[in-house]
Amino acid sequence: RLAALVSEFIPRGTDVLLANDMQGALDLIEADDELDALTLRIEEQCYHVLALQQPMASDLRAIVTAVWLTGELERSGDLMVNVAKAARRIYGATLDPRLRGLIERMSEEAGRLMKLAVDAYVERNASLGAALDDIDDGLDQLHRDYSEAIMESHAVEGLTLQAAVQLALIGRYYERIGDHAVNIGQRVQYMVTGWMPEQTSAARLRARADGEHLDEGGTAPS
């Protein structure tokens, strides 16, 4: 249900932005209260299970993943609320067709990434979770194209500096939703396999620390 709310926020916030819909922006901002309340309810239930049932192994990973997932989803919803707030700040600004098209494409790609991340969680699909990092490259490229389009519109089309700054932030919000989807994918891998990306970094750190105790010939001193 929380994922469904967040997935609904993405196209809804985009429509508000592109339509200069101030009432829609207010409705979306107020709808964030429901998302926050649901987030707290999920977290409280997770902590209740941890305290009373003391789950072990895969069950423990499932509960911890649910807590992590809730945070990623809640922050993604907040980002679309930020889009609605930015839409109010640039009310009346004219967006050229290229900017509008790129906003629509970023919104679609962010929504697709979030759907795939939730599918990976529901299906316990670690392979799909791992693939999200590569799939996110498409949204990253759209974000770069969008940033260039903002600068061009400011220089050529007369887009105001204030509008340009807000539009740049909006692009960052969509890009961050993709990052949250990637994070969800990593947490799904942890839930299914017990592996976390941080474990690889920790192993590298240990290897570097061990290497510092070797002499120049690559052997440990006597």
Side-chain angles (χ1 to χ4, degrees), residues 162-177:
Q162 179 184 1
V165 169
Q166 291 300 319
L167 288 170
L169 290 172
I170 287 168
R172 179 61 175 158
Y173 299 148
Y174 286 115
E175 193 266 342
R176 284 295 298 150
I177 290 173

Side-chain angles (χ1 to χ4, degrees), residues 6 9 31 63 82 91 93 96 108 111 143 148 154 164 182-183 194 199:
V6 173
F9 270 31
I63 297 298
N82 289 344
Y91 177 75
D96 63 55
E108 291 168 0
H143 182 233
E148 292 176 2
H154 176 57
V182 171
N183 291 343
Q199 290 173 328

Side-chain angles (χ1 to χ4, degrees), residues 119-211:
D119 287 347
Y121 173 69
V122 172
E123 299 166 8
R124 300 178 65 89
N125 189 334
S127 296
L128 177 56
L132 285 167
D133 193 21
D134 291 328
I135 298 172
D136 184 46
D137 289 346
L139 180 55
D140 290 339
Q141 183 58 54
L142 283 171
H143 182 233
R144 287 191 289 270
D145 294 343
Y146 174 73
S147 298
E148 292 176 2
I150 292 172
M151 290 186 288
E152 180 180 332
S153 184
H154 176 57
V156 178
E157 302 294 335
L159 184 71
T160 67
L161 180 59
Q162 179 184 1
V165 169
Q166 291 300 319
L167 288 170
L169 290 172
I170 287 168
R172 179 61 175 158
Y173 299 148
Y174 286 115
E175 193 266 342
R176 284 295 298 150
I177 290 173
D179 290 344
H180 286 307
V182 171
N183 291 343
I184 290 173
Q186 292 176 345
R187 300 311 178 185
V188 169
Q189 292 178 77
Y190 166 74
M191 179 179 69
V192 176
T193 69
W195 174 88
M196 293 188 294
E198 291 83 356
Q199 290 173 328
T200 301
S201 300
R204 285 198 299 265
L205 181 62
R206 286 194 299 270
R208 286 197 297 269
D210 290 342

Side-chain angles (χ1 to χ4, degrees), residues 23-194:
Q23 183 58 52
L26 177 60
D27 292 343
L28 181 57
I29 293 167
E30 292 180 344
D32 187 47
D33 289 345
E34 180 183 358
L35 193 150
D36 290 342
L38 186 55
T39 296
L40 289 174
R41 180 179 170 190
I42 294 169
E43 289 184 352
E44 288 170 357
Q45 289 183 356
C46 288
Y47 298 144
H48 182 80
V49 172
L50 287 171
L52 298 184
Q53 299 186 22
Q54 298 181 342
M56 302 295 289
S58 61
D59 289 336
L60 177 60
R61 293 201 305 270
I63 297 298
V64 171
T65 298
V67 174
W68 276 335
L69 230 70
T70 300
E72 300 290 350
L73 289 169
E74 191 270 338
R75 284 189 288 274
S76 297
D78 286 344
L79 288 166
M80 289 313 301
V81 170
N82 289 344
V83 169
K85 291 178 179 178
R88 298 203 299 189
R89 295 186 188 107
I90 62 171
Y91 177 75
T94 300
L95 307 184
D96 63 55
R98 185 185 177 200
L99 280 175
R100 294 177 67 89
L102 285 167
I103 289 171
E104 289 175 345
R105 291 172 62 192
M106 284 192 299
S107 174
E108 291 168 0
E109 193 63 15
R112 184 173 80 96
L113 279 160
M114 188 56 65
K115 180 182 182 303
L116 290 173
V118 174
D119 287 347
Y121 173 69
V122 172
E123 299 166 8
R124 300 178 65 89
N125 189 334
S127 296
L128 177 56
L132 285 167
D133 193 21
D134 291 328
I135 298 172
D136 184 46
D137 289 346
L139 180 55
D140 290 339
Q141 183 58 54
L142 283 171
H143 182 233
R144 287 191 289 270
D145 294 343
Y146 174 73
S147 298
E148 292 176 2
I150 292 172
M151 290 186 288
E152 180 180 332
S153 184
H154 176 57
V156 178
E157 302 294 335
L159 184 71
T160 67
L161 180 59
Q162 179 184 1
V165 169
Q166 291 300 319
L167 288 170
L169 290 172
I170 287 168
R172 179 61 175 158
Y173 299 148
Y174 286 115
E175 193 266 342
R176 284 295 298 150
I177 290 173
D179 290 344
H180 286 307
V182 171
N183 291 343
I184 290 173
Q186 292 176 345
R187 300 311 178 185
V188 169
Q189 292 178 77
Y190 166 74
M191 179 179 69
V192 176
T193 69

Side-chain angles (χ1 to χ4, degrees), residues 2-14:
L2 179 64
L5 275 175
V6 173
S7 297
E8 177 191 335
F9 270 31
I10 297 173
R12 185 175 168 186
T14 304

